[in-house]
Amino acid sequence: MKEMSTSEIDWKQNIFQQLKLRNKREKEPFENLIQSYSKSFDIASSLKSKNAQLTVEVDRLKEENTRLSEQGGGSSPGFNDKTHSVDVQKLYKLQEELTELHKKRGENSQQIIDLNMLLQEKERELMIKDAKLHDTDAVVLALKSEIKNLEMTIVELEQTNQMLKDEHQALGLAFTAMEEKYRKIQDENADLITRWMHVKAKDADKMNEDNDIQIKKRQAKLQKELIDAAKEPVEIRPESEAGIYVPGIVPICVSVALPNKAQHKFEAHDGEVNAVKWSPSGTMFATGGSDRKIKLWEISGGKCQSKGILTGSNQGIMALDFGIEENYILGASNDFASRVWSLTDQRLRSTLTGHSGKVLAAKFLGDCSKIVSGSHDRTLKIWDLTRIACIKTIFAGSSCNDLVTLQGSNIISGHFDKRLRFWDSHVSSDRSQLLCCTRDDSLKVIDLRMNQVSSSLYADHFNVSCDWSRAVFSPDGTYAIAGSHDGSIFIWNIAKEKVERVLKEHNNAVLACAWHPSGQYVLSADKQKKAVLWSDI
Amino acid sequence: MADDREILKELWEGRIPVRFSLPLEEVDSGEEPESIYLMLPRLSYFPLVTDRVNKHFSKYVNQEEATEMWLAYSEQPLKWHYPIGVLYDLYGDKDSTPWNITVHFQDFPEDEILHCPSKEAVESQFMSMVKEADSLKHRAQIINNMQKRDHKQLWTALLHDRYDQFWSVNKKLMESSGDDMFKYIPFRIYQIDIPNIQKIFKPCNTDGEEQNLGELLHECVPHLWDEDKFTKRVVTHGIEMTLNTPVLWLSQNFSYPDNFLHLCLLDKTDTG
């Protein structure tokens, strides 16, 4: 082991020695040398670079020096007086030139300053212009956008317009179609009407036939009665008692004959015939019209003959009334007045003014000393004929269309507000029924004792023509008669509440009717001049 | 072991005086450049220490024809990836110091030596050598367990010639006891004009006895043996090795920084 370790130490030592030797051989001799060499190498290189720098500088300096010496050489050689004076002169000249140049320079600089200022001003102007341009650009942009918007609205409106046009076209088509339909229906209607008229004419013929048969029967009966009477012994009676139609004596109606034929047709007035009235005795009748006249007529031989014309009214006559003794006739006029004429001499006796509206109705009140009038001014007035003055004014509250007097003291007025008003009703007697023509196209019979509508009279084609259309009872009170808007005259049986007869002769609305006190005749007056006398014969 | 440390220190301190000169045909400017003398560490590589040479001579050459600088010794191009000491041992003339190296900037011998683009190329070459050595010794376990910082430290210590810094890392790589026993010895054998030899060689034979340098040479270059006498000299780090030196110790102490034993086989001279 010891040997091993010693040999190990030996070779290690050997190696170490060799290394030391190596280093001694290779490194140590040269280490210091090379160190100092590299130092001197560095120094040499730095010196070299410095040297190069210096040579460059030297060159530069040399160059400068030669330049300077050349300059110096130019001025130094001529150093005598002559050249000197020339030089001085030259110098002066040069100085002068210099000052001149200085001046010029000053001027130029002044000019430059001026130009600069000008330039600045121009620049400012340019800036302003730029700003303006910018503004206008902005405005242009805004306007453009507005234009675009407007264009869009135009397009929209055009679209709407187109749509409306289309709609209009469609409606037009619909309209023409409807028109076509309407024409067709009209044609149909006309056809139906003609058919209807035809049927009606047939009916009328049939009725006429019936009437003829009846008349024949009656004549036969009459003949038979006459034959019978001729067989009986004849009693002679005073003549005065035999006549039925004696003036001043009110005829007594035994039975009413329903008229079925127009006995006589005549033109009563120029224009509407507003009123027609029989005298109490039935010997004559009067008509009043829009031509401001009252005409008096008499029946002779089935014809109506004019007996006189009463003038004096300034407007159309709306209502008539005979005095109970047949010596006076009363007319209510549209000129706000009521007038009284005497029948004997056919002259205007008195004019009663005081209403502030049309007088639509007037009646004698009891004896001929008092008159009551109803007006459109919503009042009723009572007049005293002896004094020719209004003695009483009644404020009715609604315009009065018609009046009825009862026993000389009671007044019943019909009004526009659909009401009947009773005034001073303290006496009552056998006249217990009142006939009203109302605007609901019916006639109402009122029982004055009960203050109730006792019966209503309707008819299919009955239309009340105007506010002041008048309906009347037959003298015995069993029938009521009224004219219709289409010119027909309707006769009702009151007890049965049924239309008994329809008379057609007028072509215009019938305004008034009047039944002869004896029940034999009926008068009717229409809107267009005509009056018709009806009888059963 | 104090001896081992001294030996290591001596090895680290190994320097070679070198004279660099530019051949006349490559001189472009009028004046002839001065040669440069340098003391180069044996353990380093040429590209790490020749900045100054490059800078000095590049001023004198034709700038248009100049390429990468390369070195040669008497027409023999020097490979930059061998340590300087190996090149000196292999080619250098021991009788004429300093070592005369010519500097070339033209006619790069493409088929003999590699280009060296930068010092990073040297670094990656060095690190790959270290890793190869450790994979032979410890199956690369130690080098792989090291941190990146330690790798960097190995390199920078070599670069800046710092002995303590280098060995504080390198001693881990040289550990050979118990389980960390060297598996194989990393070594290369160089001969002039012959490609170098690298073989797998275990530090101990099948009987567990340590093998020495003679046995290694027997196995690697048997044709160079005449009977029991080796016909060449074995030189490393500038000294001749006796054949009975144990290879494990050699590997631990006489390896270059790349952890390889670089053994140069030279002809026997009269003086040797």
Side-chain angles (χ1 to χ4, degrees):
Chain A
M1 274 299 284
K2 207 173 182 182
E3 254 185 15
M4 271 289 284
S5 64
T6 48
S7 71
E8 194 181 321
I9 287 161
D10 277 349
W11 61 258
K12 268 196 191 170
Q13 204 65 42
N14 179 25
I15 284 168
F16 187 57
Q17 286 302 323
Q18 276 201 52
L19 274 176
K20 280 223 161 166
L21 209 74
R22 182 201 76 176
N23 281 357
K24 214 173 202 171
R25 190 179 68 234
E26 293 175 355
K27 185 177 157 193
E28 276 162 24
F30 302 101
E31 199 162 30
N32 290 331
L33 183 71
I34 286 177
Q35 224 166 34
S36 56
Y37 158 77
S38 58
K39 212 181 228 174
S40 40
F41 180 86
D42 287 346
I43 289 165
S45 58
S46 74
L47 282 174
K48 244 189 216 168
S49 64
K50 220 175 225 177
N51 194 20
Q53 224 175 329
L54 284 171
T55 34
V56 168
E57 205 165 325
V58 162
D59 284 348
R60 197 169 54 79
L61 284 171
K62 262 184 192 167
E63 207 178 306
E64 209 169 308
N65 195 22
T66 49
R67 197 155 49 77
L68 284 170
S69 66
E70 270 171 27
Q71 277 180 2
S75 63
S76 60
F79 211 81
N80 48 44
D81 283 6
K82 209 176 172 183
T83 49
H84 182 69
S85 64
V86 170
D87 279 354
V88 165
Q89 271 184 349
K90 257 189 194 167
L91 194 65
Y92 275 127
K93 240 185 226 169
L94 284 170
Q95 259 180 344
E96 270 177 18
E97 228 171 289
L98 193 68
T99 47
E100 212 165 307
L101 282 171
H102 271 302
K103 257 192 223 161
K104 256 190 193 166
R105 204 183 120 199
E107 278 170 19
N108 283 340
S109 58
Q110 186 57 43
Q111 256 180 336
I112 282 168
I113 287 163
D114 288 350
L115 284 172
N116 264 344
M117 274 168 65
L118 211 67
L119 189 71
Q120 273 176 0
E121 212 169 304
K122 292 278 175 197
E123 252 168 2
R124 219 173 299 136
E125 264 177 65
L126 198 68
M127 258 164 63
I128 289 162
K129 288 263 165 73
D130 268 354
K132 262 190 194 169
L133 198 68
H134 199 259
D135 285 357
T136 35
D137 270 357
V139 170
V140 163
L141 262 177
L143 285 174
K144 266 187 191 167
S145 67
E146 211 172 313
I147 282 168
K148 206 181 259 177
N149 283 349
L150 286 173
E151 271 174 354
M152 268 165 64
T153 5
I154 281 169
V155 167
E156 246 170 73
L157 284 174
E158 267 175 355
Q159 278 175 355
T160 354
N161 191 22
Q162 185 62 37
M163 211 171 65
L164 287 173
K165 264 188 194 168
D166 291 351
E167 270 180 19
H168 177 250
Q169 235 168 2
L171 287 173
L173 284 173
F175 174 67
T176 47
M178 294 295 276
E179 229 177 13
E180 188 78 16
K181 230 185 194 174
Y182 172 64
R183 209 173 300 132
K184 248 189 228 168
I185 285 168
Q186 247 184 345
D187 290 349
E188 215 176 324
N189 190 30
D191 185 39
L192 284 172
I193 281 172
T194 50
R195 270 161 62 189
W196 185 65
M197 289 299 281
H198 191 67
V199 169
K200 276 278 160 186
K202 259 188 190 171
D203 279 358
D205 286 349
K206 207 176 178 186
M207 195 174 269
N208 282 346
E209 269 175 28
D210 282 356
N211 280 350
D212 285 348
I213 289 164
Q214 262 191 344
I215 287 164
K216 272 179 192 168
K217 272 185 183 171
R218 202 187 283 176
Q219 275 177 341
K221 199 182 171 186
L222 204 70
Q223 265 183 340
K224 202 185 168 189
E225 273 177 22
L226 278 172
I227 291 163
D228 285 350
K231 281 176 185 171
E232 281 174 22
V234 178
E235 280 181 38
I236 296 147
R237 288 184 184 180
E239 239 181 62
S240 62
E241 288 177 10
I244 300 168
Y245 304 129
V246 179
I249 296 162
V250 177
I252 295 150
C253 176
V254 181
S255 74
V256 170
L258 283 182
N260 42 27
K261 160 177 151 190
Q263 201 176 20
H264 183 51
K265 218 157 62 171
F266 58 99
E267 278 197 7
H269 291 274
D270 275 348
E272 296 148 16
V273 183
N274 286 326
V276 61
K277 190 84 178 179
W278 289 96
S279 67
S281 62
T283 50
M284 61 171 153
F285 64 91
T287 57
S290 293
D291 60 354
R292 295 177 275 174
K293 286 168 186 157
I294 298 174
K295 291 187 179 173
L296 298 171
W297 311 82
E298 200 168 62
I299 303 167
S300 63
K303 298 267 168 72
C304 293
Q305 282 177 341
S306 178
K307 276 194 73 185
I309 300 169
L310 305 177
T311 56
S313 173
N314 298 319
Q315 292 279 332
I317 303 294
M318 295 306 290
L320 288 170
D321 198 21
F322 281 97
I324 197 86
E325 285 146 10
E326 282 190 33
N327 38 14
Y328 293 109
I329 185 164
L330 173 65
S333 170
N334 269 345
D335 64 355
F336 306 173
S338 310
R339 288 181 178 81
V340 177
W341 288 264
S342 69
L343 283 172
T344 47
D345 52 2
Q346 298 186 355
R347 286 175 70 170
L348 180 62
R349 287 283 157 175
S350 46
T351 303
L352 306 171
T353 54
H355 279 294
S356 57
K358 300 172 183 177
V359 183
L360 293 172
K363 286 268 159 68
F364 284 106
L365 197 57
D367 56 355
C368 287
S369 62
K370 279 183 189 168
I371 287 169
V372 61
S373 64
S375 167
H376 195 252
D377 67 358
R378 298 180 228 159
T379 58
L380 306 180
K381 279 183 194 288
I382 298 173
W383 312 82
D384 189 346
L385 274 180
T386 52
R387 287 186 288 163
I388 314 179
C390 176
I391 54 169
K392 198 171 187 180
T393 300
I394 301 166
F395 295 94
S398 179
S399 73
C400 172
N401 286 329
D402 202 2
L403 283 171
V404 171
T405 57
L406 277 178
Q407 274 78 42
S409 58
N410 289 3
I411 307 157
I412 304 166
S413 55
H415 292 270
F416 182 73
D417 62 355
K418 311 180 198 167
R419 289 189 189 153
L420 290 176
R421 288 176 172 81
F422 293 79
W423 314 97
D424 189 22
S425 55
H426 57 86
V427 183
S428 127
S429 78
D430 60 323
R431 297 188 76 177
S432 58
Q433 284 185 320
L434 176 69
L435 182 66
C436 302
C437 178
T438 61
R439 221 42 182 124
D440 62 353
D441 297 339
S442 67
L443 300 183
K444 299 266 193 308
V445 178
I446 297 168
D447 192 323
L448 292 175
R449 290 165 299 194
M450 312 272 286
N451 277 346
Q452 261 182 356
V453 176
S454 59
S455 51
S456 295
L457 307 175
Y458 295 98
D460 278 344
H461 300 291
F462 177 68
N463 291 307
V464 176
S465 58
C466 61
D467 286 346
W468 55 91
S469 294
R470 308 260 150 85
V472 289
F473 282 117
S474 64
D476 63 350
T478 52
Y479 298 102
I481 186 164
S484 169
H485 184 69
D486 62 353
S488 311
I489 293 164
F490 289 77
I491 299 170
W492 282 270
N493 187 322
I494 294 166
K496 294 179 188 166
E497 291 187 17
K498 207 175 112 188
V499 177
E500 200 78 10
R501 192 157 294 178
V502 179
L503 304 172
K504 176 78 180 168
E505 193 65 42
H506 291 283
N507 297 321
N508 273 291
V510 175
L511 295 176
C513 299
W515 211 301
H516 191 273
S518 70
Q520 297 295 319
Y521 297 99
V522 168
L523 275 171
S524 61
D526 71 7
K527 219 172 172 182
Q528 203 65 45
K529 300 178 187 177
K530 271 186 191 161
V532 177
L533 177 68
W534 304 84
S535 75
D536 59 342
I537 302 158
Chain B
M1 290 305 285
D3 293 337
D4 288 350
R5 179 143 322 154
E6 273 179 64
I7 289 167
L8 287 175
K9 185 74 180 168
E10 275 312 312
L11 283 173
W12 190 268
E13 294 290 321
R15 293 284 191 278
I16 303 162
V18 183
R19 173 174 180 261
F20 293 98
S21 55
L22 195 65
L24 276 175
E25 60 268 22
E26 288 194 22
V27 175
D28 191 50
S29 61
E31 56 184 319
E32 189 182 342
E34 296 288 323
S35 300
I36 290 183
Y37 293 89
L38 287 174
M39 289 295 280
L40 297 183
R42 273 176 167 269
L43 306 182
S44 189
Y45 298 86
F46 274 119
L48 307 184
V49 292
T50 52
D51 286 345
R52 191 170 178 174
V53 177
N54 192 354
K55 195 177 158 193
H56 175 71
F57 288 115
S58 59
K59 285 187 292 192
Y60 297 94
V61 297
N62 187 347
Q63 295 297 326
E64 275 116 47
E65 293 172 34
T67 56
E68 192 183 326
M69 184 185 80
W70 57 282
L71 305 172
Y73 169 71
S74 59
E75 306 304 318
Q76 173 63 50
L78 299 176
K79 295 185 173 105
W80 57 263
H81 56 279
Y82 289 177
I84 295 167
V86 173
L87 292 168
Y88 182 66
D89 290 341
L90 196 60
Y91 303 115
D93 185 358
K94 305 298 167 303
D95 296 331
S96 67
T97 44
W99 194 22
N100 242 321
I101 288 176
T102 49
V103 179
H104 297 273
F105 287 91
Q106 293 172 12
D107 307 323
F108 194 90
E110 302 282 350
D111 45 354
E112 286 193 61
I113 59 172
L114 298 170
H115 285 283
C116 177
S118 63
K119 285 183 185 171
E120 279 73 38
V122 185
E123 180 185 0
S124 59
Q125 192 271 338
F126 169 77
M127 286 313 297
S128 75
M129 289 292 279
V130 171
K131 282 172 189 169
E132 187 184 345
D134 197 56
S135 71
L136 287 168
K137 290 188 287 189
H138 304 111
R139 307 213 165 117
Q141 274 174 353
I142 292 178
I143 190 78
N144 286 346
N145 289 338
M146 277 185 181
Q147 290 179 337
K148 182 86 183 165
R149 188 161 48 86
D150 295 327
H151 296 174
K152 205 77 195 167
Q153 191 177 332
L154 270 179
W155 169 249
T156 49
L158 178 69
L159 194 64
H160 298 112
D161 194 22
R162 286 184 190 133
Y163 169 82
D164 295 328
Q165 203 180 326
F166 180 82
W167 273 100
S168 69
V169 180
N170 199 41
K171 72 169 186 271
K172 290 178 202 160
L173 294 169
M174 290 303 177
E175 202 70 43
S176 179
S177 58
D179 291 343
D180 289 336
M181 180 78 173
F182 284 9
K183 303 291 180 293
Y184 304 104
I185 302 296
F187 69 96
R188 277 177 184 175
I189 294 169
Y190 300 88
Q191 285 168 279
I192 291 171
D193 297 332
I194 294 172
N196 55 33
I197 298 162
Q198 181 174 352
K199 286 202 173 176
I200 285 175
F201 187 79
K202 287 193 176 182
C204 298
N205 62 13
T206 46
D207 300 333
E209 291 172 10
E210 287 194 11
Q211 308 214 61
N212 61 21
L213 186 58
E215 284 155 341
L216 186 147
L217 291 171
H218 243 300
E219 193 167 322
C220 296
V221 281
H223 59 279
L224 293 176
W225 286 82
D226 183 16
E227 300 287 310
D228 278 347
K229 278 193 64 127
F230 193 56
T231 55
K232 302 264 185 177
R233 291 188 299 141
V234 184
V235 175
T236 182
H237 292 289
I239 60 170
E240 191 172 338
M241 279 290 137
T242 50
L243 297 181
N244 58 356
T245 319
V247 283
L248 184 60
W249 184 87
L250 270 179
S251 183
Q252 276 176 313
N253 296 288
F254 259 66
S255 289
Y256 279 82
D258 58 11
N259 282 220
F260 266 84
L261 273 173
H262 295 280
L263 305 171
C264 299
L265 302 186
L266 302 175
D267 292 332
K268 286 203 171 175
T269 54
D270 296 336
T271 50

